[in-house]
């Protein structure tokens, strides 16, 4: 082992992703993942309920993280400003620095219908957290729902643009650009 | 049989929906559905691949219907006007008059995670058709993607509001109201 010794959870994640990329998600087994990581299946199941969830680790923390960042946004911000504030901070805190991992993960997800559906339900968790955040900021039900859906649409589209371009631009920049395009689209031209 | 004799496909749809509502989606079997409809399982499988798809009949026609309505919208319309034009017409043509069926169907879908995921993938089909329609109208790739996602968000939110309120308002009216709220949200207040 080199100077950087990641924890078991991270080793399992890396081993799983390597195997999913090399041989496909469907045929990869938990024993293969643990063998690659040099760990036992018992350890695996302390971290993850199954191989699929390796790709969705940390989802439980999403509601709290979304709530935290939305609570930081200045009280006078309108919903679009809150979206911009929150998404750029989420981009910097949780995505920046993980480009290679996230690009590899995305290619595994794109190749499997069940994983794509699972990914969609992850974004539904983010949307629900966003809706709750807007409610707490005093927005009405319709505005909270639409603002949260807008935010998730912008985030999804920005992530896919970010991952499909050559590495280099910060995700936060792609998010802001995507939100500008959304604003331009929804602003009446007449 | 009364003066109204629906076709076999529609009889199977009604029988299936009744059973899903009475006893739940998971425990309902194809033979139960065909017995209720007075038809054979062989007939069932000529119409539907499985019991789930009974709730998603007609999905194959979505891309063509979306393409048709978007092609009707005047060439000078900006994307938000195209969305308003297309969604209100889709509401009038394919939803109005089916309120009771759609409300019952929605309650079955809401109660089952697999059906909710399947419903989400139906909206993804609509979004892809919308994206293609905007491309054909000459919009760039980002605008086409965002406009289609906005349209689907507005449609989903409007349908849920329409179905959860007492019957009476046309869906097209709820769609227009939802789009106004989206525009207001995305328009800079400064």
């Amino acid at each position: 082992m080199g100077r950087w010794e990641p924890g078991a959870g991270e080793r399992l994640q890396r081993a799983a992703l390597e195997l999913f990329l090399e041989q496909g998600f469907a045929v990869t087994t938990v024993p293969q993942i643990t063998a690659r990581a040099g760990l036992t299946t018992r350890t695996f199941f302390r971290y993850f309920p199954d191989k699929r969830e390796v790709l969705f680790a940390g989802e439980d923390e999403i509601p709290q993280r979304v709530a935290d960042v939305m609570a930081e946004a200045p009280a006078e911000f309108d919903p679009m400003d809150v979206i911009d504030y929150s998404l750029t901070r989420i981009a910097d805190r949780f995505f920046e620095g993980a480009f290679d991992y996230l690009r590899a993960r995305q290619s595994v997800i794109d190749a499997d219908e069940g994983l794509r559906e699972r990914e969609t339900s992850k974004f539904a968790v983010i949307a629900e957290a966003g809706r709750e955040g807007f409610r707490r900021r005093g927005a009405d039900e319709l505005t909270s729902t639409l603002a949260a859906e807008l935010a998730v649409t912008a985030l999804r589209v920005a992530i896919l643009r970010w991952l499909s371009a050559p590495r280099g631009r910060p995700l936060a920049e792609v998010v802001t650009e995507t939100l500008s395009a959304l604003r331009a689209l929804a602003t009446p031209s007449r």
Side-chain angles (χ1 to χ4, degrees), chain A:
Chain A
M1 280 290 174
R3 63 201 160 95
W4 180 66
E5 169 98 26
E10 194 167 332
R11 277 161 66 192
L12 290 164
Q13 266 182 297
R14 286 175 184 275
L17 189 59
E18 282 172 22
L19 288 163
F20 296 159
L21 287 168
E22 286 167 22
Q23 62 187 30
F25 173 77
V27 300
T28 299
T29 64
V30 170
Q32 288 173 343
I33 295 169
T34 55
R36 173 75 61 105
L39 294 163
T40 63
T41 57
R42 201 174 140 190
T43 301
F44 180 94
F45 291 113
R46 274 209 295 271
Y47 284 86
F48 308 105
D50 56 40
K51 64 175 180 173
R52 187 182 74 167
E53 291 308 302
V54 177
L55 295 168
F56 297 92
E59 194 179 84
D60 292 353
E61 296 157 28
I62 288 175
Q64 191 56 52
R65 286 172 168 187
V66 170
D68 289 346
V69 76
M70 290 182 75
E72 286 167 24
E76 70 274 19
F77 273 17
D78 69 21
M80 281 302 279
D81 290 331
V82 174
I83 292 173
D84 202 338
Y85 181 98
S86 305
L87 292 186
T88 52
R89 273 151 191 82
I90 285 169
D92 285 339
R93 288 178 202 169
F94 306 116
F95 289 83
E96 218 50 55
F99 183 87
D100 293 330
Y101 172 78
L102 291 170
R103 179 141 75 175
R105 174 185 176 277
Q106 191 67 45
S107 76
V108 172
I109 287 173
D110 287 345
D112 184 282
E113 193 186 335
L115 292 176
R116 289 197 301 273
E117 285 176 3
R118 179 67 186 77
E119 178 81 339
T120 294
S121 81
K122 176 176 174 176
F123 280 97
V125 169
I126 301 176
E128 186 46 48
R131 189 181 340 202
E132 183 54 29
F134 282 110
R135 280 190 202 115
R136 266 194 228 115
R137 295 180 66 92
D140 64 52
E141 196 55 32
L142 178 56
T143 302
S144 298
T145 299
L146 291 174
E149 293 294 335
L150 268 189
V152 165
T153 294
L155 182 61
R156 279 195 96 153
V157 170
I159 290 171
L160 294 178
R161 288 174 71 217
W162 181 58
L163 294 178
S164 63
R167 185 176 182 165
R169 298 175 71 198
L171 174 60
E173 198 180 299
V174 186
V175 162
T176 296
E177 203 179 83
T178 305
L179 285 170
S180 296
L182 253 180
R183 278 187 217 245
L185 187 62
T187 304
S189 56
R190 290 159 308 168

